[in-house]
Amino acid sequence: MIALFNWFVKITGWPAQLLCFRTKILYEDRRAQGRHIKGSAIVISNHTSVFDYAVYLFVFFTRTLRFQMAEVLFEKPLLGWFLRCLGGIRVDRNTHDFGFMPASMRILERGGVVGIFPESRIPLPGEARPLPFKVSAAYLALSSGAKIVPVVTNGSYFQRKRARVLIGKPIDVFTLLEDGADETENLQIVSERLRERIAELEKLLNGTETNESR
């Protein structure tokens, strides 16, 4: 039912997203990772706007993305219903309810795709970006064996400037582990290395924009 609803939204919403986002999709290495994601995977991204998820819905058109989303979005009746139909995974950031983790794991075990914004919130003006990463993406990848697909967006939505998305090469998190570190330490180490990777892709995306404007 979730997959069917996703297809309905993607097909009916395609013309509108062309006008609102006008997304230009770039690739770090298209042969390594294009718009179609094979098998189970975790998509991680920087977080610029509440519309990031809507953009990725169309970037990865062929897969059903099940994004972890903040509880505040589900508290709005109509929006909450819509996100649940799309398969959104509710994350209650102000409680100790970690039910979103086993829910995410079940999706990965069935070969699905889970989306995570590891910063957990949109950075405030003046804050260094990306913010420190939560460990959920690292934990899920290490527990499930799923690859991580890093993606960045410039967040240019509803503007004259086009939205731009850069898809990075997939990451095997097991190559990021540090010998001699315990499980807790490695979760922090892997999370920080994922953060560094997103920062690298942001610089690469900004560089392509600068070059094109010359």
Side-chain angles (χ1 to χ4, degrees):
M1 188 65 182
I2 288 174
L4 184 62
F5 190 78
N6 268 261
W7 276 112
F8 172 78
V9 170
K10 290 175 182 178
I11 292 171
T12 58
W14 185 261
Q17 67 90 23
L18 288 176
L19 294 173
C20 296
F21 306 135
R22 300 170 52 241
T23 309
K24 182 172 183 178
I25 303 170
L26 306 170
Y27 307 88
E28 185 180 23
D29 183 348
R30 192 167 187 172
R31 291 172 297 181
Q33 182 60 63
R35 294 179 66 179
H36 178 70
I37 301 173
K38 297 180 180 178
S40 63
I42 301 167
V43 172
I44 64 169
S45 171
N46 62 331
H47 205 4
T48 68
S49 164
V50 294
F51 294 103
D52 292 337
Y53 166 66
V55 171
Y56 293 144
L57 195 69
F58 294 97
V59 169
F60 298 105
F61 194 87
T62 60
R63 296 300 304 270
T64 298
L65 269 64
R66 305 285 301 276
F67 259 89
Q68 294 180 1
M69 301 177 181
E71 75 292 334
V72 65
L73 298 174
F74 291 89
E75 291 169 358
K76 301 176 182 180
L78 185 58
L79 178 60
W81 171 84
F82 182 72
L83 294 177
R84 282 190 290 272
C85 289
L86 283 173
I89 305 167
R90 176 170 174 151
V91 179
D92 290 294
R93 297 171 297 176
N94 300 319
T95 71
H96 295 289
D97 181 5
F98 294 98
F100 66 95
M101 292 297 282
S104 299
M105 184 65 72
R106 287 192 295 271
I107 293 167
L108 294 172
E109 289 172 346
R110 294 196 296 265
V113 180
V114 171
I116 299 176
F117 297 110
E119 293 170 280
S120 184
R121 64 175 175 85
I122 299 171
L124 299 173
E127 286 188 306
R129 303 185 181 199
L131 299 174
F133 276 18
K134 303 296 185 183
V135 301
S136 56
Y139 178 85
L140 286 170
L142 289 168
S143 299
S144 68
K147 64 186 176 185
I148 285 185
V149 178
V151 187
V152 294
T153 173
N154 66 354
S156 181
Y157 314 138
F158 307 98
Q159 301 177 28
R160 292 182 62 185
K161 182 181 178 182
R162 291 184 67 179
R164 297 165 68 91
V165 169
L166 174 62
I167 301 174
K169 293 182 287 188
I171 301 168
D172 177 357
V173 292
F174 292 96
T175 64
L176 306 181
L177 296 173
E178 190 169 298
D179 292 339
D182 62 29
E183 182 179 358
T184 301
E185 291 170 335
N186 261 321
L187 281 175
Q188 294 294 340
I189 290 168
V190 171
S191 297
E192 179 56 26
R193 289 176 178 171
L194 292 176
R195 178 178 177 271
E196 291 169 356
R197 188 73 186 99
I198 289 295
E200 290 172 0
L201 290 176
E202 285 185 313
K203 289 180 181 179
L204 184 58
L205 181 61
N206 292 334
T208 62
E209 290 182 324
T210 300
N211 292 334
E212 287 186 7
S213 65
R214 289 175 180 173

